Amino acid sequence: MESLKIEETINKAGEKYRSFLHEEAENTHWRHGGPPIYDAVNQLFEQGRTKVWEKGSLEETVQNAIKSWEMELSHKTRIQDFRTINPDKFKLIVNGREGLTAEETLKVGSYNALLKSTLPEEYKYYKAEEETFESSHDVFRSAFPRGFAWEVISVYSGPPVISYKFRHWGYFEGPYKGHAPTGELVDFYGMGILKVDESLKAEDVEIYYDPADLISKLLKGPLISEPENADVDASPVSTGGCPFKKEK
C-alpha cells in the first residue's frame, strides 16, 4: 500500500524498485491512462527505511516483488495485464479470512481487502463494504499526501513459500474522514506468506496484521469543525485524495 502521484511524463530512466514498470506492452490498460510515477514515495522510502538490503539478495528480491504486485493491483485494470501473479490460482488472504480471487481483489482494491472487518457495525472504524476502489484510495491519499511506504524487515524462508516481516509507514499530513492531520509518523508491522509457482508468480498472498495499529493513529486527529452556518444538507467533510500507490 504505497502512495504515488500520477504524472503525464514517464521516468525514462526506469524504476529502481519495479524493474518492468516501463517495459510494459503498449496495450496495457492503466487506471489513470499511463504508468504511475513513484518519485515521491521512493524518496519517503529511502529516507525512512530501517533496512538497506544488498542488491540481488533474497530480501531485496522479495521486497521488490511485493512492490511490483502492489503497483499492478493499484494501477492496472485488467488481470490479463498482470505479470506478478498466476491469475488462475491467485488468492489474497488477510488475517485468515476467506481468500479473494485475483478478479475479486482487483474489484475491491487493496485498502478494502486489507481493512475489511467482522466487527459489529457500531464498532467498525473503517467500513470497507461502503467504499469503492476509488473512494478507498482517495481516503488514504488524502491522509498520506507524500505516500505510504513499505519495506521488508526480515525474510524467514525462500521460494516456493516465502515468509517475511514487513513495515508500512507514512506521515499523517492530510485529513482522514473528518479528522485533522497530526503530522505524526504512522507505521505498523505485519507478517506475510507468499507462495509462488515455478515462474516465481504469486499464487497465494497471506497477510497478518492488526488494522487498529493503523486506524487508531488516524483517529487521533481532532474532528474538523464545520462552519456554524453550514447548510444541514451539505455534503460530509471530504475525504480528500488517495496516497497509496508507489512501490512494488
Side-chain angles (χ1 to χ4, degrees), residues 7-8 13 20 48 56 61 87 101 104 107 128 132 175 186 205 236 243 247:
E7 298 182 4
E8 293 181 0
F20 59 80
T61 300
T101 66
E104 289 170 336
K107 179 179 179 180
T132 65
V186 172
V205 177
E247 287 204 22

Side-chain angles (χ1 to χ4, degrees), residues 58-238:
L58 177 60
E59 291 85 357
E60 188 211 36
T61 300
V62 172
Q63 181 170 265
N64 290 353
I66 298 294
K67 289 177 184 288
S68 295
W69 169 67
E70 190 280 329
M71 176 274 293
E72 292 193 309
L73 177 59
S74 298
H75 298 287
K76 292 182 178 180
T77 60
R78 303 187 307 179
I79 290 297
Q80 67 197 67
D81 292 330
F82 279 45
R83 298 172 59 179
T84 59
I85 69 170
N86 181 329
D88 296 326
K89 295 184 178 181
F90 181 85
K91 290 283 186 180
L92 173 62
I93 302 163
V94 180
N95 289 335
R97 294 195 299 268
E98 182 178 356
L100 298 175
T101 66
E103 290 288 357
E104 289 170 336
T105 304
L106 181 60
K107 179 179 179 180
V108 301
S110 54
Y111 283 119
N112 288 332
L114 292 168
L115 290 169
K116 185 177 179 180
S117 173
T118 57
L119 287 169
E121 197 69 19
E122 62 268 28
Y123 297 120
K124 287 184 179 180
Y125 37 75
Y126 177 90
K127 298 182 179 182
E129 64 277 6
E130 295 181 3
E131 301 286 352
T132 65
F133 184 111
E134 291 76 13
S135 70
S136 65
H137 282 263
D138 286 345
V139 166
F140 290 96
R141 183 171 291 125
S142 171
F144 300 114
R146 282 194 279 164
F148 202 24
W150 188 94
E151 69 172 332
V152 160
I153 298 296
S154 300
V155 176
Y156 304 106
S157 63
V161 180
I162 303 164
S163 58
Y164 59 92
K165 181 179 180 180
F166 67 86
R167 172 178 173 251
H168 226 324
W169 77 97
Y171 286 88
F172 183 19
E173 297 171 326
Y176 171 78
K177 287 188 171 293
H179 288 266
T182 64
E184 295 179 354
L185 171 69
V186 172
D187 65 351
F188 66 89
Y189 294 80
M191 297 293 298
I193 302 172
L194 175 64
K195 181 182 178 182
V196 298
D197 63 16
E198 62 277 2
S199 300
L200 298 182
K201 292 185 177 182
E203 294 184 345
D204 289 340
V205 177
E206 294 186 51
I207 298 174
Y208 297 90
Y209 80 111
D210 184 355
D213 286 343
L214 166 63
I215 301 298
S216 63
K217 296 169 184 176
L218 298 178
L219 298 180
K220 287 174 63 177
L223 288 172
I224 300 171
S225 300
E226 295 184 4
E228 291 184 4
N229 61 347
D231 189 332
V232 294
D233 293 323
S235 300
V237 176
S238 171

